[in-house]
Amino acid sequence: MTQISHLAVICPACGGTGAVANVALHQARELARSFRVTLVSDSFPAAGLEGVTFRRLNPLRFGWLRRYGHVPGEVAFALSAKAAIAKLHARASVDVLLCHGHPVAALTAGPLKRRHGIPYVMVTHGDIFDRPKGTYDPRLTWFYQQVTRPAYRGADVVVALSPHMREMALRGGARPERVVVIPNGIDPAEIGLDDAPAASPRKPRDRLELLYVGRLSVEKGVDVLIDAAALLKARKLAFRLRIAGGGPEEDRLRSLAARSGLDGDVAFLGPGPRLELGALYRSADVVCVPSRSDPLPTVVLEAMAAGVAVVGADAGGIPFMIEQGVTGLVCPAGSDVAFAEVLAQFTVEAGLARRMGDAGQQRVV
């Protein structure tokens, strides 16, 4: 067994607001309580991390290629990280690499393992073979297909976020004894909530307040939610749907809502500061997670921490997170009819949303 003293955590864009970077920062901070930790990235938070050493990369940038720049950007980051860690290892032996994502695992950690014998752990935040068609540009899809299976097969440990992602890792060639399920957690303070917020009574409303929080992209299934909202309106049920977030599908989704006659019922809020999310969640009766594919959506944890009921699709890690009939309801993925039927229950059963929200809060804490 390897004696661990020094770990290198590898993740791009750690100075940004992405969910993957947020997980990497939390892991680096916690690991630094027990080990020497070097965080390898191309950007970092201005405030730094106690006990963590930063190793900044300066990979080639391909923004000028616009939509075609993602693949060379991923490769450039991985190769830059490989060179930096090789130099670091020569000066201060690195015992384990902790990789966030398949490209880093396959193109950075794989070669370092073969040449220097450094084992690597990969946190799998998604899987290209679990994504619906149209999620990525075909070139990016091809790239992810090339790196996914080598990353699984070479990993000494694969951290899967849910049982579903464990199955995807096994299908990709990971050895069963090397796959562990470790769900992500959240820090309630980051979204403006206390660590253990008390449930607050809500006044009766004259309409059901629905909320979606997340990226507006194909795999998130927001079009299914809008179609479900149209069905609720056809049944003359009173509701308002707010959609918080941005992404490549925004224009299409706005057009869909307008064509469905939902201009007065659906509001697009755009992206906002994370610190304001807690108040946004608490203003809702039900948080909707209609994803077609989602390894472990943070929004479910955040909604439960805020004491709000969750309705989610039976996809990825969502059914692992929601206790059916207790903290929320799960319905078939991709079905606007099923989603509408489930949401309609909250309009006719008084107190259902409040009971599920309270139960979810107890579970997530």
Side-chain angles (χ1 to χ4, degrees):
M1 180 179 294
T2 301
Q3 183 67 36
I4 300 174
S5 175
H6 183 194
L7 294 94
V9 180
I10 316 165
C11 181
C14 283
T17 59
V20 173
N22 194 47
V23 172
L25 291 172
H26 282 8
Q27 289 180 350
R29 182 191 64 196
E30 295 303 315
L31 287 166
R33 299 177 188 274
S34 303
F35 309 103
R36 177 184 175 186
V37 174
T38 300
L39 178 60
V40 180
S41 187
D42 51 353
S43 64
F44 301 103
L49 288 176
E50 185 177 356
V52 177
T53 300
F54 291 164
R55 181 65 181 251
R56 184 180 295 275
L57 305 177
N58 292 294
L60 292 174
R61 304 289 183 177
F62 295 90
W64 55 276
L65 287 174
R66 298 183 183 275
R67 61 176 295 193
Y68 304 110
H70 201 102
V71 171
E74 290 261 25
V75 173
F77 176 87
L79 296 181
S80 179
K82 182 180 72 171
I85 293 170
K87 292 180 181 178
L88 177 65
H89 182 65
R91 295 199 311 270
S93 181
V94 177
D95 302 308
V96 176
L97 303 175
L98 176 57
C99 308
H100 285 268
H102 300 86
V104 167
L107 302 179
T108 301
L112 289 170
K113 180 179 178 179
R114 290 190 292 271
R115 181 168 182 178
H116 301 287
I118 309 173
Y120 73 86
V121 178
M122 179 180 71
V123 182
T124 172
H125 295 274
D127 189 304
I128 187 60
F129 298 102
D130 192 44
R131 296 297 195 188
K133 186 177 181 180
T135 301
Y136 300 114
D137 178 277
R139 297 167 185 81
L140 189 54
T141 296
W142 176 87
F143 171 71
Y144 284 145
Q145 287 173 340
Q146 304 312 303
V147 298
T148 294
R149 288 195 171 99
Y152 282 137
R153 292 169 182 165
D156 296 88
V157 177
V158 175
V159 175
L161 305 184
S162 65
H164 174 76
M165 291 310 298
R166 181 181 189 275
E167 291 304 313
M168 294 304 302
L170 296 178
R171 291 181 203 173
R175 299 181 187 180
E177 69 276 12
R178 295 185 175 183
V179 183
V180 294
V181 176
I182 306 177
N184 290 334
I186 61 166
D187 181 353
E190 288 186 354
I191 59 171
L193 297 174
D194 297 331
D195 288 338
S200 55
R202 294 178 182 166
K203 297 178 181 179
R205 307 184 199 267
D206 57 2
R207 65 184 178 188
L208 184 67
E209 292 286 346
L210 306 175
L211 177 66
Y212 169 85
V213 176
R215 182 171 164 79
L216 305 183
S217 52
V218 171
E219 73 276 11
K220 295 297 185 178
V222 186
D223 55 324
V224 176
L225 177 58
I226 291 175
D227 287 341
L231 295 174
L232 292 179
K233 184 167 185 175
R235 294 171 61 171
K236 302 189 183 306
L237 299 177
F239 71 93
R240 178 177 66 161
L241 169 61
R242 288 173 297 164
I243 297 174
E249 288 280 286
E250 182 172 350
D251 290 343
R252 187 178 78 85
L253 294 171
R254 286 179 178 272
S255 297
L256 176 61
R259 291 197 308 272
S260 302
L262 294 171
D263 281 339
D265 307 287
V266 176
F268 288 83
L269 307 182
R274 278 188 58 75
L275 198 59
E276 297 177 5
L277 280 178
L280 184 62
Y281 284 124
R282 283 182 168 169
S283 68
D285 297 308
V286 179
V287 169
C288 304
V289 190
S291 305
R292 294 181 170 91
S293 164
D294 222 327
L296 195 91
T298 304
V299 62
V300 175
L301 297 176
E302 294 174 345
M304 290 195 297
V308 184
V310 183
V311 171
D314 186 8
I318 296 173
F320 169 63
M321 306 171 78
I322 299 173
E323 189 174 353
Q324 179 74 331
V326 178
T327 64
L329 295 168
V330 177
C331 59
S335 173
D336 55 340
V337 175
F339 221 92
E341 285 296 324
V342 168
L343 291 175
Q345 294 182 38
F346 292 95
T347 67
V348 298
E349 190 173 341
L352 179 61
R354 180 70 271 168
R355 291 197 302 273
M356 288 184 170
D358 290 346
Q361 192 174 84
Q362 294 172 19
R363 174 175 168 83
V364 78
V365 170

